[in-house]
Amino acid sequence: MGLLPGQARPAVRRIALSARRVVTGSPCDGTPHPDLEARRLARRLLAATG
C-alpha cells in the first residue's frame, strides 16, 4: 500500500472523523452510504500507516 504522505494525513483524518455530509445515499439497494464507506476506508488507511 505504501506510506501515507504527511501532507495527506490531516485530510484523511478529517474524512475519518467527519459527520455524515451526504444527505442521501444510494437507493435502498443494500450498498453502504458513501460517507460511511469513505470514513471506513480513511480509518483503515490511518490504522495501516500508524
Side-chain angles (χ1 to χ4, degrees):
M1 177 194 287
L3 296 176
L4 179 63
Q7 300 90 342
R9 288 190 75 74
V12 173
R13 188 173 287 117
R14 274 194 302 273
I15 293 169
L17 302 174
S18 70
R20 201 156 136 173
R21 297 175 308 269
V22 178
V23 176
T24 59
S26 303
C28 297
D29 61 359
T31 59
H33 190 280
D35 277 347
L36 296 176
E37 187 67 9
R39 283 192 303 237
R40 183 184 71 78
L41 292 172
R43 288 176 183 149
R44 283 182 57 196
L45 182 58
L46 288 170
T49 60

